Amino acid sequence: MARIAFIGLGNMGLPMATNLLRAGHDVTGHDPVAEAPGIPRAPDALTAAKGAECLITMLPGGAHVRAVYASGALAAMAPGALVIDCSTIDVADARAAHASAAEAGLATLDAPVSGGVGGATAASLTFMCGGTAAAFAQAQPILAAMGKRIVHCGDAGAGQAAKICNNMILGISMVAVAEAFVLAEKLGLSHQAMFDVAANASGQCWSLTSYCPVPGLVPASPANNEYRPGFATALMLKDLRLAAGAAKSAGANTALGQHAADIFARFAEAGGAGLDFSAVIRAVREP
Ligand code: NAD
């Protein structure tokens, strides 16, 4: 079992660190704010990382990850140790993080997740990994304690690329499903009829059949629960902005992704930031 430093014990990090402890790993956590009951704590990242065989970060953004990597934590780890960043961050930041870990002689992986707090708690996350085959193999037993699907997407940054491309599809498709339901309402079509047709026709997609933005049609939909997240609008907006930034620097045309980002930004500013992202149907209904 590995000696693991876990940095960032928020909504996702705490259940992930808890699952590592349950699997028998020796975990020391650090978070300046979160309470994180049950996780042995260090006063800072450097202390947590001393002699660790693995350092995992689960932080809000790229600047936070860079700050931890620059704190001296990397140099304090055991020789041949592994660094895994599970946060969702910019592809360029992820590549810079890989470079600084490699400079310190460490194996390194970007491994953002999907599955949300429910998946983190149930140890059923999907990990999208970028890095060398050797780093991916080294990470397997650790990631397996926190997730069910562990996919090697390619070299440094490939996990973040997969994550933001997937979430761009999700953001766009949720707006599309919301627009279809609102148009159906205005045309006098019942929600049930609209669902029964589209769920079994070419409009079928995850946003419709697993996460429908209209209440009463799909069991686990946040719409059934006053749009309590789930996956908050603020996080969807973050991911759409990361996708837009990546598209700009890579020269890709993602017009619909940008449009979806604008729609979620307006909804967040109007008070929807803390609601599940499927609540964007309210903004579509009353622009
Ligand atoms: P969160 O805000 O609940 O937790 C982040 C934690 O990081 C906070 O407790 C904060 O105090 C801590 N932190 C900030 N700077 C730190 C530092 N320098 N050292 C140590 N700790 C520090 O966020 P979350 O929901 O746990 O999300 C974490 C990451 O996972 C984000 O990048 C997010 O985009 C991604 N993500 C979240 C979800 C979700 O459903 N919540 C799903 C997939 C991916």
Side-chain angles (χ1 to χ4, degrees):
M1 287 296 146
R3 153 113 175 69
I4 300 173
F6 202 112
I7 313 301
L9 300 168
N11 292 326
M12 296 290 288
L14 174 58
M16 291 166 73
T18 304
N19 284 327
L20 288 169
L21 268 178
R22 276 196 197 123
H25 294 289
D26 174 7
V27 180
T28 303
H30 168 66
D31 190 307
V33 178
E35 295 210 345
I39 308 290
R41 297 285 281 259
D44 50 53
L46 171 54
T47 311
K50 269 192 188 135
E53 295 152 290
C54 177
L55 174 105
I56 300 177
T57 41
M58 192 51 166
L59 296 165
H64 305 84
V65 176
R66 281 201 307 273
V68 169
Y69 281 30
S71 69
L74 301 184
M77 296 177 70
L82 168 69
V83 183
I84 307 174
D85 177 36
C86 294
S87 329
T88 303
I89 66 172
D90 188 72
V91 175
D93 279 339
R95 290 187 175 142
H98 273 270
S100 52
E103 247 167 56
L106 304 170
T108 157
L109 211 62
D110 55 296
V113 306
S114 77
V117 175
T121 306
S124 63
L125 291 170
T126 294
F127 287 94
M128 296 154 259
C129 303
T132 63
F136 181 68
Q138 197 174 338
Q140 281 285 337
I142 292 168
L143 299 182
M146 301 182 284
K148 283 227 169 90
R149 284 199 75 215
I150 305 165
V151 183
H152 191 200
C153 300
D155 290 337
Q160 298 293 351
K163 164 87 186 173
I164 59 172
C165 290
N166 177 72
N167 278 20
M168 188 175 77
I169 297 175
L170 178 61
I172 294 169
S173 67
M174 184 54 78
V175 173
V177 171
E179 288 187 355
F181 270 103
V182 170
L183 177 59
E185 286 165 9
K186 292 195 187 297
L187 297 176
L189 193 62
S190 75
H191 289 159
Q192 190 68 57
M194 164 69 200
F195 181 84
D196 289 346
V197 171
N200 295 293
S202 45
Q204 190 278 332
C205 64
W206 189 89
S207 292
L208 176 71
T209 54
S210 295
Y211 218 78
C212 189
V214 163
L217 296 171
V218 168
S221 167
N224 302 342
N225 203 4
E226 294 296 324
Y227 299 100
R228 263 192 40 216
F231 186 53
T233 295
L235 288 176
M236 173 50 82
L237 180 56
K238 172 191 163 181
D239 291 359
L240 287 170
R241 283 178 168 158
L242 287 174
K248 195 169 172 202
S249 50
N253 175 10
T254 56
L256 284 182
Q258 182 60 59
H259 195 170
D262 295 341
I263 290 170
F264 280 102
R266 279 198 299 277
F267 180 53
E269 274 161 29
L275 293 175
D276 187 79
F277 81 109
S278 57
V280 75
I281 193 168
R282 291 182 177 169
V284 173
R285 208 176 265 128
E286 290 162 31

